[in-house]
Amino acid sequence: MSRIILVSNRLPVAISIHPDGGLEASRTDGGLPTALSALFAQQESVWIGWTGLRQSLTPAQLSSTDLPRGIIPINLSKQQVIRFYERYSNGVLWPLLHGVPAKVTLEAADFHALQIVLHRFADAIVKIARPGDVIWIHDYLLMLLPSLLRHYELPNRIGFFLHTPFMSTEFISQLPLTDEIVRSLQAVDVLGVQVARDVVAAKSWGLMAKSYPIGVDFEKFDRLAQRADVMRGYEELRQRYPGKQIIASLSRLDYSKGILTQLDAIAELAATRQDFVYRLNVAPSRESVLGYQDLHDAIVARVASINERFPIIDFTYENLNEREVISLLKATDIQLNVPIKDGMNLVAKEHVAARREPAVIVLSQEAGAADQLTEALIVPPNDLGAITASLRQALDMSRDEKARRWRALRRGVKHDNIQRWYESFMTDLTNTTG
Ligand code: F6P
């Protein structure tokens, strides 16, 4: 029987090593693993990706780890992680895809490590691919993989989905291996991107792409939000901030997320009114990538200086578990979410799915989600005045208007759900002549 071979840098599990040398596999968060997990659970599939460790494991260590069935881990050494993940992928590609200049200049050793890592992925795929299997590769880190698979003369159908925005051609001079990346993306049967703007950007590189806006598992969020432990978390939050509207932001530590601008908008708002609290959680991310630790320090300093004047921000820097995330989303009256650029931004959709009571989302026009969540208050992410004005509008919005907007948002998010996303991509991929 033919299977789906999912390939991504991140797996739905990450392996960690205990001080006693024992290995443990734990669930990973993030848009990509969460999105693909639903497909992985339903369809006969295998999933190839990095262990998440900055060191190689021996075959004996790997086989002693209790990994879910169908997971095939790729071992990388510390140097390979630094050169492939931290420098090439997140020091160069990630900023360029988000409209920011590259953070590092690549060296010969980086290109060498990149080739080794790509071959590691390709070898793992070639080893297990059977005729009729469909290969679905994900995200910017692996853009060069399709042409390598074609080089191996793998006849299977290959799909590629880019979770980030597609980059504009103004970055051509900073993008390494430009021709190779374009050739590689030309080698796939279906090239999927998030929204219409990404199709246009891909076209400017001479690539034919189609948009498949990623969604969330609406029913799951809606159901979990009614569970007793989530209800308790929600009640606790409401009691912690009596009589206040809760403005909240939940994001990964990343300069693309506009966290400092959000804090500036909160400071401006707090100067004239205090009928709200700002609950900000930043999830630790890419801490060893250049610039992320500085961003963390800048956020901590900005929060402290605002709280000195107006003690209005409840800030945490941690990975919240599922119960905590859903409780918080359920309690969030206004979501403040203004990334400078974002492929989709699933937390906006998760809020809509997790909360039945009307709420408001102040959403960046540069998030892919703004294409679909048109009943949010859409703002330019670099316009502090507009963001603050939208927050005021949200705080003062009538119940009727909120309810009307929220109903439309719930309808859309329920319809354009995660199932629809992967079914439409897989239908196109299996229908290509290959
Ligand atoms: O497309 C961006 C993305 O892969 C998201 O799906 C995910 O949340 C984020 O990047 C995580 O990044 P990393 O794998 O570097 O932790």
Side-chain angles (χ1 to χ4, degrees), residues 125 147 208 247:
I125 297 169
S147 54
M208 282 280 293
I247 303 179

Side-chain angles (χ1 to χ4, degrees), residues 235-255:
E235 296 296 348
E236 267 165 39
L237 285 165
R238 297 261 40 136
Q239 280 159 19
R240 199 185 305 164
Y241 315 116
K244 305 266 186 192
Q245 295 205 49
I246 301 176
I247 303 179
S249 307
L250 282 104
S251 60
R252 231 172 23 82
L253 180 69
D254 202 292
Y255 48 85

Side-chain angles (χ1 to χ4, degrees), residues 9-10 30-33 85 90 94 139-140 163-164 252 285-286:
N9 182 59
R10 244 341 131 191
L32 188 150
Y85 173 74
N90 291 317
W94 179 268
D139 236 1
Y140 60 103
H163 292 253
T164 64
R252 231 172 23 82
S285 175
R286 302 184 187 167

Side-chain angles (χ1 to χ4, degrees), residues 90-96 99-105 171 174-176 255:
N90 291 317
V92 176
L93 291 182
W94 179 268
L96 296 181
V100 173
K103 307 268 181 195
V104 296
T105 305
F171 290 111
Q174 290 180 55
L175 180 68
Y255 48 85

Side-chain angles (χ1 to χ4, degrees), residues 361-417:
I361 302 180
V362 175
L363 182 63
S364 166
Q365 68 186 25
E366 298 299 329
D371 254 35
Q372 295 175 297
L373 306 185
T374 52
E375 292 296 333
L377 300 182
I378 310 287
V379 291
N382 51 4
D383 187 342
L384 196 56
I387 298 168
T388 315
S390 292
L391 285 173
R392 280 203 187 91
Q393 187 188 344
L395 284 169
D396 297 331
M397 192 178 282
S398 72
R399 203 182 148 80
D400 278 0
E401 182 177 354
K402 256 192 234 176
R404 179 184 59 71
R405 287 174 181 267
W406 202 247
R407 258 197 313 276
L409 288 169
R410 296 255 307 168
R411 215 179 301 123
V413 172
K414 186 174 182 176
H415 182 261
D416 299 321
N417 59 18

